[in-house]
Amino acid sequence: MWNFPLLPDQASTFAGRVDGLYFFLVALTAFFTVMISLMVAFMAIRYRESNTKVNRDNPLPENPTMEAVWIGVPLVIVLVIFFWGVNIYFAIARPPANAVDMYVTGKQWMWKIQHPTGQREINEIHVAVGQPVRLTMISQDVIHSFYVPAFRVKQDVLPGRYSQLWFEPTKPGIYHLFCAEFCGTKHSGMIGRVVVMESADYERWLAGGSSNGGSLGQTMADAGAQIFEAQGCITCHKMDDASRAPILKGLYGKSVALNGGETVIADEQYIRESILRSGAKIVAGYGPIMPVYQNRISEDELMQLVSYIKSLGGPATGTPAATPSAAPASETKGTPAAAKPAQNVNEPSRNK
Amino acid sequence: MDTTSTVERVSATGIISDTIRTNFLNADYGIKSWLLTKDHKRIAILYLISITVFFMIGGAFAAMIRMELITPEADVFTSEAYNKVFTTHGIMMVFFFLIPSIPATLGNFLVPVMVGARDLAFPRINLLSWYIYVIGGLFTLTALVLGGVDTGWTFYTPYSSTYSNGYVMLTGIGIFITGFSSILTGLNFIVTVHKMRAPGLGWFRLPLFVWANYAASLIMVLGTPVVAIGIVMIALERGLGLGIFDPRLGGDPVLFQHIFWFYSHPAVYIMILPGMGVVSEIMACFSRRHIFGYKFIAFSSLGIAIIGFLVWGHHMFVSGQSSYAGIVFSLFTFIVAVPSAIKVFNWTATMHKGRIVYSTPMMYALGFIGLFLVGGLTGLFCASLGVDIHIHDTYFIVAHFHYVMVGGSVMAYLGGIHFWWPKMTGRMYPEGWGRFSALLVFVGFNLTFFPQFIAGYLGMPRRYHVYPPEFQIYNVLSSGGALVLGIGFMIPLIYLFWSLKYGEKAGPNPWRAAGLEWETTSPPPTFNFDYQPVVDHEPYNYSEIDARSSATVSTHSVQEEQHV
């Protein structure tokens, strides 16, 4: 208890940048607080009532020039901070193209994580140093917030809508994962660990299976493909025949024209919504014939379906060209660029 | 000493202070004369008593929070109980203490006197507002007694609308009802300031306290209905299953946050603007100078009130709202910092070549400046998109808003209570105890809340019942500070009560202060003035007042009076 930590670990590419602005703000706060407090203290002492010797002639009159200075200077300073903050914000808002996907489901009071390669974890997420990770997150009940102080990132996890978060770990270690949005009785128990490993260790971990006993051996996309068949999606959404329903191959990330003239980007949120409430956004040229799947598919299964549809490929953005990664992760173990398990989901040979 | 100071008061004001003359306190006796009063001063006293009760309830719950958090584990409460404790603390302090604090007590008492009117424009509506406040408070207290509510004072959906098992609706009804008292008070102030100013009292001769309450009134009238609508929406969803916020019913949970903060961020300015008005009055009086930059301070109040309506989304940078919305809200938040800076600089300049008197109100005002500086500047951290992502919903935010709400509003409130206590009661409080408790509050406050900045940047989330052990040291410091702060708040409660009977009689103007309220007797008569006041001079004419009193009274007696 008797140590006084001042900063959390710096374990992501954002940490240094956020701390840089933080230090600037601390310095600014200290400067103005000390400056004005000293001025106040100086005048409180010098012009104290009992001091009759001090010169009180010609006190400061109202002075528009001084007002202009102390309006102008703070305005310039706050605008500098504003742009600085926006700059960092853009970096945090835009995941790089080589980020691997992971999927997070929040519920009262636990975090469930799915790796594209099939590993599933609870209240723990294993990631590799130097490998950007993009989380697609949803809540099964109330609003939660995924917060890793050592990474300086936080994003609310909403029911009914995917939100996303990305980070690139820079330092191996075990870090706090907190729920930052009050979510009910055991809010403060909705915590976990982020385990950042060296690439080689991470590959070993992937090969060794999930610590929480997940279904290794079946990737998320494979699991999604099974649901796709079991739910009968495949009877209309055929691979080569668009007569009853749009072809899903190459859909992800594409711009889709809707009935009524609008267009929409086929991102995770759009795919999710179209499965649950097919009538919300109907592709141009089709009728509202698809059944509603709300309350028939769990959030975890939905993520597998989304993962499957993403694996069917799409325009260049967000889906790096597939390398032959159908081989089990153990075969890629040890290669320097190995920590890219997400490429499994882009494997087109699983389309059936 | 008594004789000289009486002589001086007579000469300074031209009014004979007769200690047994009729005033608003002794004009009538009996419980009915209070409960059916239309006198704004009596209603202010009713408000003063009731908000003090709510402050003590809120403070007791704060003490429970600090007690629980001394160790990282659960010691005193279950998680369920702890969540209800911090929720109750927030609801009591925000809706039933901070929002009505300065406007409903000092504002109610002083605005009509300061504009030279007999009463507020609508005295019956003023009394109604107090009853509404009390009824709303009783609903919320009933919810508390029945078992409480655990949503946090922010009532985020869908937790509050669907999942929480607490008495959300009863609490919500209480807040809904109380909102109307706020609207009625604001309405009353706006009409009074527009229509009832004394002859000669132009807009730029108004005390800055009136400007500040006027600006806060605009927010009360325009903002409060929106939070009321939000509560009705929760009721419709909870009661009738109408899908507004819960996505399973087709609603949008983030919509509630927009509605809630559209009111609740400007509400922060309802709390701080009147406090800034109090500080302007105190700084001028105890610097014995005309306030520096009168118009800049006056218009900065209006600026804060207007821009304050455009910043609510800064509570939602990580909520999933559009990134572009986040950028706009961040920009406006930075801009709203500028008018606050204007005020601080002008107050500081007011001291230049002044004649500084270290009275209790001045101690509170100086403390306000220091704490508001920290509170305001740490607001820049929160406004900054990149940093806020990290500190949002951590103890950094808790520390920041306590610096503004307690370090700002409560310090100003206590300063104002001391400054106008002689006017309200006709009695002086004990100056030595006053200074001592002001110092205690300042030290205790900093000890309580400064460590929370560090705990927050380290990543300690707010509303955590149990927490990782590395945060403990900062929580121990914080709990220790809370004890000091609590004592600092108890002392004035005791001596102010004591002074009602034993305090020295004050006379009409013990501070030799400017402003119409000091021209009438203490306590003022029921209709405030025995004559129609006419204003023929600028506000804050301290140089004239001091020149006049030094011409008639020897320096010796002036100094002596200051040491009373």
Side-chain angles (χ1 to χ4, degrees), chain A residues 1 4-5 19 21-22 29 43-44 47 49 56-57 60-62 67 85 141-143 147 154-156 161 176 178-182 185 187-188, chain B residues 79 83 150 157 159 163 247 289 292 294 296 318 320 345-346 348 352-354 356 358 381 384 386 389-390 392-393 457 459 463-464 466 470 473-474:
Chain A
M1 168 179 160
F4 293 82
D19 288 351
L21 178 50
Y22 173 72
T29 302
M43 290 196 269
Y47 298 112
E49 194 193 22
R56 289 191 172 86
D57 296 338
L60 282 173
E62 289 214 338
E67 302 283 352
D141 37 51
V142 302
I143 298 176
Y147 177 34
K154 180 184 294 124
Q155 173 62 50
D156 283 6
R161 193 205 301 176
H176 287 300
F178 292 131
C179 176
E181 184 61 70
F182 179 69
T185 308
H187 169 54
S188 65
Chain B
S79 290
N83 296 340
D150 71 341
T157 56
Y159 185 68
Y163 291 86
R289 269 205 55 186
F292 193 89
Y294 174 94
F296 288 90
V318 299
F345 285 120
N346 279 297
T348 311
H352 181 251
K353 299 206 169 178
I356 315 294
Y358 304 137
F381 294 62
S384 169
I389 289 177
H390 174 53
H392 175 76
D393 267 332
Y457 200 78
R463 297 171 171 172
Y464 261 34
V466 294
E470 69 258 35
I473 181 65
Y474 298 114

Coordinates of all heavy atoms in Angstrom, one line a residue, chain A residues 1 4-5 19 21-22 29 43-44 47 49 56-57 60-62 67 85 141-143 147 154-156 161 176 178-182 185 187-188, chain B residues 79 83 150 157 159 163 247 289 292 294 296 318 320 345-346 348 352-354 356 358 381 384 386 389-390 392-393 457 459 463-464 466 470 473-474:
Chain A
M1 N 0.8 -1.2 0.0 CA 0.0 0.0 0.0 C 0.9 1.3 0.0 O 0.5 2.3 -0.6 CB -0.9 0.0 1.2 CG -1.6 1.3 1.6 SD -2.6 1.1 3.0 CE -2.8 2.8 3.5
F4 N 3.5 5.0 -4.2 CA 2.6 6.0 -4.8 C 2.8 6.0 -6.3 O 3.5 6.8 -6.9 CB 3.0 7.4 -4.3 CG 2.7 7.6 -2.8 CD1 3.6 7.1 -1.8 CD2 1.5 8.2 -2.4 CE1 3.3 7.2 -0.5 CE2 1.2 8.3 -1.0 CZ 2.1 7.9 -0.1
P5 N 2.2 5.0 -7.0 CA 2.3 5.0 -8.4 C 1.6 6.2 -9.0 O 0.6 6.7 -8.5 CB 1.5 3.7 -8.8 CG 0.6 3.4 -7.7 CD 1.3 4.0 -6.5
D19 N -0.1 10.1 -22.9 CA 0.6 10.6 -21.8 C 1.3 11.9 -22.1 O 1.5 12.8 -21.3 CB 1.7 9.6 -21.3 CG 1.0 8.4 -20.5 OD1 -0.2 8.5 -20.3 OD2 1.7 7.4 -20.2
L21 N 0.3 14.3 -24.1 CA -0.7 15.4 -24.0 C -1.1 15.6 -22.5 O -1.2 16.7 -22.0 CB -2.0 15.1 -24.8 CG -3.1 16.1 -24.7 CD1 -2.7 17.5 -25.0 CD2 -4.2 15.7 -25.7
Y22 N -1.1 14.5 -21.8 CA -1.4 14.6 -20.3 C -0.4 15.4 -19.6 O -0.7 16.3 -18.8 CB -1.5 13.1 -19.8 CG -1.7 13.0 -18.3 CD1 -2.9 13.4 -17.7 CD2 -0.6 12.6 -17.5 CE1 -3.0 13.3 -16.3 CE2 -0.8 12.5 -16.1 CZ -2.0 12.8 -15.5 OH -2.1 12.7 -14.2
T29 N -1.7 23.2 -16.2 CA -2.5 23.4 -15.0 C -1.7 23.9 -13.9 O -2.0 24.8 -13.2 CB -3.2 22.0 -14.6 OG1 -4.0 21.6 -15.7 CG2 -4.0 22.2 -13.4
M43 N -1.0 39.9 -3.9 CA -1.9 41.1 -3.7 C -2.6 41.1 -2.4 O -2.8 42.1 -1.7 CB -2.9 41.2 -4.9 CG -2.1 41.6 -6.1 SD -3.2 42.2 -7.4 CE -3.5 40.7 -8.3
A44 N -3.0 39.8 -1.9 CA -3.6 39.7 -0.6 C -2.7 40.2 0.5 O -3.2 40.8 1.4 CB -4.1 38.3 -0.4
Y47 N -1.5 44.3 -0.5 CA -2.6 45.3 -0.4 C -3.5 45.0 0.8 O -4.7 45.3 0.8 CB -3.4 45.4 -1.7 CG -2.6 45.9 -2.8 CD1 -2.3 45.0 -3.9 CD2 -2.0 47.1 -2.8 CE1 -1.5 45.4 -4.9 CE2 -1.2 47.6 -3.9 CZ -0.9 46.7 -4.9 OH -0.1 47.1 -5.9
E49 N -5.3 45.2 4.3 CA -5.9 46.5 4.8 C -5.0 47.2 5.8 O -4.9 48.4 5.8 CB -7.2 46.1 5.6 CG -8.1 47.3 5.8 CD -9.2 46.9 6.8 OE1 -9.0 45.9 7.5 OE2 -10.2 47.6 6.8
R56 N -1.6 53.1 -3.3 CA -2.8 52.6 -3.9 C -3.3 53.6 -5.0 O -4.5 53.5 -5.4 CB -3.9 52.4 -2.9 CG -3.6 51.2 -2.0 CD -4.8 50.9 -1.1 NE -4.6 49.6 -0.4 CZ -4.0 49.6 0.8 NH1 -3.5 50.6 1.4 NH2 -4.0 48.4 1.4
D57 N -2.5 54.5 -5.4 CA -2.9 55.5 -6.4 C -3.1 54.8 -7.8 O -2.4 53.8 -8.1 CB -1.9 56.6 -6.6 CG -1.8 57.4 -5.3 OD1 -2.8 57.3 -4.5 OD2 -0.7 58.0 -5.0
L60 N -5.7 49.7 -11.3 CA -6.0 49.3 -12.7 C -7.4 49.7 -13.0 O -8.4 49.4 -12.3 CB -6.0 47.8 -12.7 CG -4.6 47.1 -12.8 CD1 -4.8 45.6 -12.7 CD2 -3.9 47.5 -14.1
P61 N -7.6 50.5 -14.1 CA -8.9 50.8 -14.5 C -9.5 49.6 -15.4 O -8.7 48.7 -15.6 CB -8.7 52.0 -15.4 CG -7.3 51.8 -16.0 CD -6.5 51.0 -15.0
E62 N -10.7 49.7 -15.8 CA -11.2 48.7 -16.7 C -10.3 48.8 -18.0 O -10.0 49.9 -18.4 CB -12.6 49.0 -17.1 CG -13.6 48.7 -15.9 CD -14.9 48.1 -16.4 OE1 -15.3 48.4 -17.6 OE2 -15.6 47.5 -15.6
E67 N -8.3 42.6 -21.2 CA -9.3 41.6 -21.5 C -9.1 40.9 -22.7 O -9.2 39.6 -22.8 CB -10.7 42.3 -21.5 CG -11.1 43.1 -20.3 CD -11.6 42.3 -19.1 OE1 -11.7 41.1 -19.3 OE2 -11.8 42.9 -18.1
G85 N -5.7 16.8 -29.1 CA -6.5 15.8 -28.7 C -7.2 15.1 -29.8 O -7.4 13.8 -29.9
D141 N -26.8 -7.3 -22.5 CA -27.8 -6.8 -21.6 C -27.7 -5.2 -21.5 O -28.2 -4.5 -22.4 CB -27.8 -7.4 -20.2 CG -26.4 -7.7 -19.8 OD1 -25.5 -6.8 -19.8 OD2 -26.1 -8.9 -19.4
V142 N -27.0 -4.7 -20.5 CA -26.9 -3.3 -20.3 C -25.6 -2.8 -21.0 O -24.9 -3.5 -21.6 CB -26.9 -2.9 -18.8 CG1 -28.2 -3.5 -18.2 CG2 -25.7 -3.5 -18.1
I143 N -25.4 -1.5 -20.8 CA -24.2 -0.9 -21.4 C -23.0 -1.2 -20.5 O -23.0 -1.1 -19.3 CB -24.3 0.6 -21.5 CG1 -25.4 1.0 -22.5 CG2 -23.0 1.2 -22.0 CD1 -25.7 2.5 -22.6
Y147 N -12.3 -1.3 -20.9 CA -11.3 -0.3 -20.5 C -10.0 -1.0 -20.1 O -10.0 -1.9 -19.2 CB -11.8 0.5 -19.4 CG -10.9 1.5 -18.8 CD1 -9.9 2.2 -19.6 CD2 -10.9 1.8 -17.4 CE1 -9.1 3.1 -19.1 CE2 -10.0 2.8 -16.9 CZ -9.1 3.4 -17.7 OH -8.3 4.4 -17.2
K154 N -10.6 2.9 -24.2 CA -11.9 2.6 -23.6 C -13.0 2.8 -24.6 O -12.9 3.6 -25.5 CB -12.1 3.6 -22.4 CG -13.4 3.4 -21.7 CD -13.6 4.4 -20.6 CE -12.6 4.4 -19.5 NZ -11.9 5.7 -19.4
Q155 N -13.9 1.9 -24.6 CA -15.1 2.0 -25.5 C -16.3 1.4 -24.9 O -16.2 0.3 -24.4 CB -14.8 1.3 -26.9 CG -15.9 1.3 -27.8 CD -16.4 2.6 -28.2 OE1 -15.6 3.5 -28.6 NE2 -17.7 2.9 -28.1
D156 N -17.4 2.1 -24.9 CA -18.6 1.5 -24.4 C -19.1 0.4 -25.2 O -18.9 0.4 -26.4 CB -19.7 2.6 -24.3 CG -19.5 3.6 -23.1 OD1 -18.5 3.5 -22.5 OD2 -20.4 4.4 -22.9
R161 N -25.9 -3.1 -30.7 CA -25.1 -2.4 -31.7 C -23.6 -2.7 -31.5 O -23.2 -2.7 -30.4 CB -25.3 -0.9 -31.6 CG -24.7 -0.1 -32.8 CD -24.4 1.3 -32.5 NE -25.5 2.1 -32.0 CZ -25.4 3.3 -31.6 NH1 -24.2 3.9 -31.6 NH2 -26.4 4.0 -31.1
H176 N -4.7 -4.8 -16.3 CA -6.1 -4.8 -15.9 C -7.0 -4.6 -17.1 O -6.8 -3.8 -18.0 CB -6.4 -3.6 -15.0 CG -5.8 -3.8 -13.6 ND1 -6.2 -4.9 -12.8 CD2 -5.0 -3.1 -12.9 CE1 -5.6 -4.7 -11.6 NE2 -4.8 -3.7 -11.7
F178 N -11.0 -3.5 -17.2 CA -12.1 -3.1 -16.3 C -13.4 -2.9 -17.1 O -13.3 -2.5 -18.3 CB -11.8 -1.7 -15.6 CG -10.6 -1.8 -14.6 CD1 -9.6 -0.9 -14.7 CD2 -10.6 -2.7 -13.6 CE1 -8.6 -0.9 -13.8 CE2 -9.6 -2.7 -12.7 CZ -8.6 -1.8 -12.8
C179 N -14.5 -3.0 -16.5 CA -15.7 -2.5 -17.0 C -15.8 -1.1 -16.4 O -15.8 -0.9 -15.2 CB -17.0 -3.3 -16.6 SG -18.5 -2.5 -17.2
A180 N -15.9 -0.1 -17.3 CA -15.9 1.3 -16.8 C -17.3 1.9 -16.7 O -17.4 3.0 -16.2 CB -15.0 2.2 -17.7
E181 N -18.3 1.3 -17.3 CA -19.6 1.9 -17.3 C -20.5 1.1 -16.3 O -20.6 -0.1 -16.4 CB -20.3 1.8 -18.7 CG -21.6 2.5 -18.8 CD -21.5 4.0 -18.4 OE1 -20.9 4.7 -19.2 OE2 -22.0 4.4 -17.3
F182 N -21.0 1.8 -15.3 CA -21.8 1.2 -14.3 C -22.9 0.2 -14.8 O -23.7 0.7 -15.6 CB -22.4 2.2 -13.3 CG -23.2 1.5 -12.2 CD1 -22.5 0.8 -11.2 CD2 -24.6 1.6 -12.2 CE1 -23.2 0.2 -10.2 CE2 -25.3 1.0 -11.2 CZ -24.6 0.3 -10.2
T185 N -25.1 -4.6 -10.0 CA -24.6 -5.0 -8.7 C -23.1 -5.4 -8.7 O -22.3 -4.8 -7.9 CB -25.4 -6.2 -8.2 OG1 -26.8 -5.9 -8.3 CG2 -25.0 -6.6 -6.7
H187 N -20.7 -4.7 -10.8 CA -20.0 -3.9 -11.7 C -18.5 -4.0 -11.4 O -17.7 -4.2 -12.4 CB -20.5 -2.4 -11.6 CG -19.6 -1.4 -12.3 ND1 -19.3 -1.6 -13.7 CD2 -19.1 -0.3 -11.9 CE1 -18.6 -0.5 -14.0 NE2 -18.4 0.3 -13.0
S188 N -18.1 -3.8 -10.2 CA -16.7 -3.8 -9.9 C -16.1 -5.2 -9.9 O -14.9 -5.3 -9.8 CB -16.4 -3.1 -8.5 OG -17.0 -3.9 -7.5
Chain B
S79 N -22.2 -5.3 -2.3 CA -22.1 -4.5 -3.5 C -23.4 -3.8 -3.8 O -23.5 -2.6 -4.2 CB -21.7 -5.3 -4.7 OG -20.4 -5.8 -4.6
N83 N -23.8 0.3 -4.1 CA -24.3 1.0 -5.3 C -25.4 1.9 -4.9 O -25.6 3.0 -5.5 CB -24.8 -0.1 -6.3 CG -23.6 -0.9 -6.8 OD1 -22.5 -0.6 -6.7 ND2 -24.0 -2.1 -7.4
D150 N -30.3 1.9 -7.4 CA -28.9 1.6 -7.6 C -28.4 2.0 -9.0 O -27.4 1.4 -9.5 CB -28.6 0.1 -7.3 CG -29.2 -0.7 -8.4 OD1 -30.1 -0.2 -9.1 OD2 -28.8 -1.9 -8.5
T157 N -29.7 4.2 -19.3 CA -30.5 3.1 -19.8 C -29.6 2.1 -20.6 O -28.5 2.5 -21.0 CB -31.6 3.6 -20.8 OG1 -31.0 4.4 -21.8 CG2 -32.6 4.5 -20.1
Y159 N -30.1 0.0 -18.3 CA -30.0 -0.5 -16.9 C -31.2 0.0 -16.1 O -31.9 -0.7 -15.4 CB -28.7 -0.2 -16.2 CG -28.6 -0.8 -14.8 CD1 -28.5 -2.2 -14.7 CD2 -28.7 0.0 -13.7 CE1 -28.4 -2.7 -13.4 CE2 -28.6 -0.6 -12.4 CZ -28.5 -2.0 -12.3 OH -28.4 -2.5 -11.1
Y163 N -33.4 -3.2 -16.3 CA -32.7 -4.2 -15.5 C -32.7 -3.9 -14.0 O -32.6 -4.8 -13.2 CB -31.2 -4.3 -16.0 CG -31.2 -5.0 -17.3 CD1 -31.3 -4.2 -18.5 CD2 -31.0 -6.3 -17.5 CE1 -31.2 -4.8 -19.7 CE2 -31.0 -6.9 -18.7 CZ -31.1 -6.2 -19.8 OH -31.1 -6.8 -21.1
P247 N -32.8 -1.8 -26.7 CA -32.7 -2.3 -28.1 C -33.5 -3.5 -28.4 O -34.0 -3.7 -29.5 CB -31.2 -2.6 -28.3 CG -30.6 -2.5 -27.0 CD -31.5 -1.8 -26.1
R289 N -12.9 47.7 -3.8 CA -12.6 48.3 -5.1 C -13.8 48.0 -6.0 O -14.5 47.0 -5.8 CB -11.4 47.6 -5.7 CG -10.1 48.4 -5.5 CD -9.1 48.1 -6.6 NE -9.7 48.4 -7.9 CZ -9.1 48.1 -9.0 NH1 -8.0 47.5 -9.0 NH2 -9.7 48.4 -10.2
F292 N -13.3 44.6 -11.3 CA -12.6 44.8 -12.6 C -13.4 44.1 -13.7 O -13.7 43.0 -13.6 CB -11.2 44.3 -12.5 CG -10.3 44.7 -13.6 CD1 -9.5 45.9 -13.5 CD2 -10.2 44.0 -14.7 CE1 -8.7 46.3 -14.5 CE2 -9.4 44.4 -15.8 CZ -8.6 45.5 -15.6
Y294 N -16.4 44.7 -15.2 CA -17.8 44.4 -14.9 C -18.5 43.7 -16.1 O -19.1 42.7 -16.0 CB -18.5 45.7 -14.5 CG -20.0 45.5 -14.3 CD1 -20.5 45.3 -13.0 CD2 -20.9 45.6 -15.4 CE1 -21.9 45.1 -12.8 CE2 -22.3 45.5 -15.2 CZ -22.8 45.2 -13.9 OH -24.1 45.1 -13.7
F296 N -17.4 42.4 -18.8 CA -16.9 41.1 -19.2 C -17.4 40.0 -18.3 O -17.7 38.9 -18.8 CB -15.3 41.2 -19.2 CG -14.8 42.0 -20.4 CD1 -14.6 43.4 -20.2 CD2 -14.6 41.5 -21.6 CE1 -14.2 44.2 -21.2 CE2 -14.2 42.3 -22.7 CZ -13.9 43.6 -22.5
V318 N -16.9 8.1 -25.5 CA -16.7 6.7 -25.8 C -18.0 6.0 -25.8 O -18.1 4.7 -25.7 CB -15.8 6.1 -24.7 CG1 -14.4 6.7 -24.8 CG2 -16.3 6.1 -23.3
G320 N -20.1 5.6 -28.2 CA -20.5 5.1 -29.5 C -21.2 6.2 -30.4 O -21.7 5.9 -31.5
F345 N -9.5 35.9 -14.2 CA -8.5 37.0 -14.4 C -9.1 38.3 -13.9 O -8.4 39.1 -13.3 CB -8.2 37.1 -15.9 CG -7.3 36.0 -16.4 CD1 -7.6 35.2 -17.4 CD2 -6.0 35.9 -15.8 CE1 -6.8 34.2 -17.9 CE2 -5.1 34.9 -16.3 CZ -5.5 34.0 -17.3
N346 N -10.4 38.5 -14.1 CA -11.0 39.8 -13.6 C -11.0 39.9 -12.1 O -10.8 40.9 -11.5 CB -12.3 40.0 -14.2 CG -12.3 40.5 -15.6 OD1 -11.8 41.6 -15.9 ND2 -12.7 39.8 -16.6
T348 N -8.9 38.4 -10.1 CA -7.5 38.7 -9.6 C -7.2 40.1 -9.8 O -6.6 40.7 -8.9 CB -6.6 37.8 -10.5 OG1 -7.1 36.4 -10.4 CG2 -5.2 37.8 -9.9
H352 N -6.0 44.2 -7.3 CA -4.8 45.1 -7.5 C -5.1 46.4 -6.8 O -6.1 47.1 -7.1 CB -4.5 45.2 -9.0 CG -3.4 46.1 -9.3 ND1 -3.5 47.3 -9.8 CD2 -2.1 45.9 -9.1 CE1 -2.3 47.9 -10.0 NE2 -1.4 47.0 -9.5
K353 N -4.2 46.9 -6.0 CA -4.3 48.2 -5.3 C -5.6 48.3 -4.5 O -6.1 49.3 -4.4 CB -4.1 49.3 -6.3 CG -2.8 49.3 -7.0 CD -2.3 50.7 -7.4 CE -0.9 50.6 -7.8 NZ -0.4 51.9 -8.3
G354 N -6.1 47.1 -4.1 CA -7.3 47.2 -3.2 C -6.9 47.3 -1.8 O -5.7 47.7 -1.4
I356 N -7.3 44.8 1.1 CA -7.8 43.4 1.3 C -8.1 43.2 2.7 O -7.3 43.3 3.6 CB -6.8 42.4 0.8 CG1 -6.2 42.8 -0.6 CG2 -7.4 41.0 0.7 CD1 -7.2 42.8 -1.7
Y358 N -9.2 40.3 5.4 CA -9.3 38.8 5.4 C -10.5 38.3 6.2 O -10.3 37.7 7.3 CB -8.0 38.3 6.1 CG -6.7 38.7 5.4 CD1 -5.6 39.1 6.2 CD2 -6.6 38.6 4.1 CE1 -4.4 39.4 5.6 CE2 -5.4 39.0 3.4 CZ -4.3 39.4 4.2 OH -3.2 39.7 3.6
F381 N -8.5 18.6 -19.5 CA -8.2 17.2 -19.7 C -9.4 16.4 -20.2 O -9.3 15.6 -21.2 CB -7.7 16.5 -18.4 CG -6.5 17.0 -17.8 CD1 -6.4 18.3 -17.3 CD2 -5.4 16.2 -17.6 CE1 -5.2 18.8 -16.7 CE2 -4.2 16.6 -17.0 CZ -4.2 17.9 -16.5
S384 N -10.5 17.2 -23.8 CA -9.6 16.7 -24.8 C -9.8 15.3 -25.2 O -9.7 14.4 -24.4 CB -8.1 16.9 -24.3 OG -7.3 16.3 -25.2
G386 N -8.4 12.8 -26.9 CA -7.5 11.8 -26.8 C -7.3 11.4 -25.3 O -7.2 10.2 -25.0
I389 N -10.6 9.7 -23.5 CA -10.9 8.3 -23.7 C -10.3 7.5 -22.5 O -10.9 6.5 -22.0 CB -10.3 7.8 -25.0 CG1 -11.1 8.4 -26.2 CG2 -10.2 6.3 -25.1 CD1 -10.6 8.1 -27.5
H390 N -9.2 7.9 -22.1 CA -8.5 7.2 -20.9 C -9.2 7.5 -19.6 O -9.4 6.6 -18.8 CB -7.0 7.5 -20.9 CG -6.3 6.9 -19.7 ND1 -6.4 5.6 -19.3 CD2 -5.5 7.5 -18.8 CE1 -5.7 5.4 -18.3 NE2 -5.1 6.5 -17.9
H392 N -12.2 9.0 -18.9 CA -13.6 8.9 -18.8 C -14.0 7.8 -17.8 O -13.5 6.7 -17.9 CB -14.2 8.6 -20.2 CG -15.7 8.5 -20.2 ND1 -16.6 9.5 -20.0 CD2 -16.5 7.3 -20.2 CE1 -17.8 9.0 -20.0 NE2 -17.8 7.7 -20.2
D393 N -15.0 8.1 -17.0 CA -15.6 7.1 -16.0 C -14.5 6.6 -15.0 O -14.6 5.5 -14.5 CB -16.3 6.0 -16.7 CG -17.8 6.2 -16.9 OD1 -18.3 6.9 -16.0 OD2 -18.3 5.7 -17.8
Y457 N -6.1 8.7 -13.1 CA -5.2 8.5 -14.2 C -4.6 7.1 -14.2 O -4.3 6.6 -15.2 CB -4.2 9.6 -14.3 CG -3.6 9.7 -15.7 CD1 -4.3 10.3 -16.7 CD2 -2.4 9.1 -16.0 CE1 -3.9 10.4 -18.0 CE2 -1.9 9.1 -17.3 CZ -2.6 9.8 -18.3 OH -2.2 9.8 -19.6
G459 N -6.1 4.6 -13.5 CA -7.1 3.7 -14.1 C -8.2 3.3 -13.2 O -9.0 2.4 -13.6
R463 N -17.4 4.3 -9.3 CA -18.5 3.4 -8.9 C -18.0 1.9 -8.7 O -18.8 1.0 -9.0 CB -19.6 3.4 -10.0 CG -20.2 4.8 -10.1 CD -21.2 5.0 -11.2 NE -21.9 6.3 -11.1 CZ -22.6 6.8 -12.0 NH1 -22.8 6.2 -13.1 NH2 -23.2 8.0 -11.8
Y464 N -16.8 1.8 -8.3 CA -16.3 0.5 -7.9 C -16.3 0.2 -6.5 O -15.8 1.0 -5.7 CB -14.8 0.4 -8.4 CG -14.7 -0.4 -9.8 CD1 -15.7 -0.2 -10.7 CD2 -13.6 -1.2 -10.1 CE1 -15.6 -0.9 -11.9 CE2 -13.5 -1.8 -11.3 CZ -14.5 -1.7 -12.2 OH -14.4 -2.3 -13.4
V466 N -15.3 -2.7 -4.9 CA -14.0 -3.3 -4.6 C -13.0 -2.9 -5.7 O -13.4 -2.7 -6.8 CB -14.0 -4.8 -4.4 CG1 -14.9 -5.2 -3.2 CG2 -14.6 -5.5 -5.7
E470 N -3.5 -1.7 -5.7 CA -2.6 -0.6 -5.9 C -3.2 0.8 -5.8 O -2.5 1.8 -5.7 CB -1.9 -0.8 -7.3 CG -2.7 -0.6 -8.5 CD -3.1 -1.9 -9.1 OE1 -3.3 -2.8 -8.4 OE2 -3.2 -1.9 -10.4
I473 N -3.7 3.4 -1.5 CA -3.1 4.6 -0.8 C -3.9 5.8 -1.0 O -4.1 6.7 -0.2 CB -1.6 4.7 -1.1 CG1 -1.0 5.9 -0.3 CG2 -1.4 4.9 -2.6 CD1 -0.9 5.7 1.1
Y474 N -4.3 6.0 -2.3 CA -5.0 7.2 -2.7 C -6.4 7.2 -2.0 O -6.9 8.3 -1.7 CB -5.1 7.4 -4.2 CG -3.7 7.5 -4.8 CD1 -3.2 6.5 -5.6 CD2 -2.9 8.6 -4.5 CE1 -1.9 6.6 -6.1 CE2 -1.6 8.7 -4.9 CZ -1.1 7.7 -5.8 OH 0.2 7.8 -6.3

